[in-house]
Amino acid sequence: MITTRSSTPEDADAISVCVDAVARERRYLGNTSGFSAEQTRSFIASLSDSGGIQIVVVADAKIVGWCDVTPVPFEGMRHVGRLGMGLLPSFRGQGLGRRLVREALSQVFAKTLKRVELEVFASNKIAVGLYEREGFVIEGRKRCARFLDGAEDDILIMGCLRDEWLCSTSQQTGRRQRRDRGLVDNRTSSDRRA
């Protein structure tokens, strides 16, 4: 069974192992190795103190992914959070990334944040597509921002605003409810002509 929940300081060892595994793939995170359990424990505590969140994915009692939103501490920017996430390879492509992002945005937008931003490597097209489907917009590009293992990569800067996200999620919910009640015609135009 796969579940999601908020992280706790007791999760630090397992989260540290998970982040390290994703970082060592050398493709998805800015760092190429993870953080120690103590650094991770401090990060979890700082999230709690600052109003941030971290959600973990648990499969068979093992942490296999995470999504965190860290509020920006600067005056005039405290309405902004920065999102980071990752999943172990064997748990990708199952909708867990979408589940993590939706749960994280739902929680932080219910608090005081009005904007969530992130950076993603342009080569990570699956993640870029996920973020766009969940309401993020590409706001900029850092050209040749990474040169690693003989390959150059740009970094895309993406942002999501609470009001736009709330509007899009309520529209999606309305469409799903109408479809479930049979009020939406899901047939293609050629099906209707037949």
Side-chain angles (χ1 to χ4, degrees), residues 113-130:
L113 294 186
K114 294 180 180 177
R115 171 187 166 81
V116 173
E117 59 191 27
L118 60 86
E119 293 185 353
V120 59
F121 292 112
S123 63
N124 190 352
K125 296 190 184 312
I126 292 173
V128 172
L130 164 67

Side-chain angles (χ1 to χ4, degrees), residues 45-64:
S46 74
L47 282 174
S48 177
D49 294 344
S50 67
I53 59 135
Q54 184 177 61
I55 300 164
V56 293
V57 177
V58 181
D60 299 321
K62 177 183 174 189
I63 292 178
V64 299

Side-chain angles (χ1 to χ4, degrees), residues 1-3 23 53 72 78 87 90 99 103 106 116 118 123 133 138 144 164 166 178:
M1 182 160 97
I2 297 176
T3 60
I53 59 135
V72 175
R78 293 189 181 115
L87 282 166
S90 60
R99 187 169 159 187
E103 192 168 331
S106 179
V116 173
L118 60 86
S123 63
R133 285 188 303 279
I138 296 173
C144 295
E164 293 173 357
L166 289 172
R178 286 191 304 279

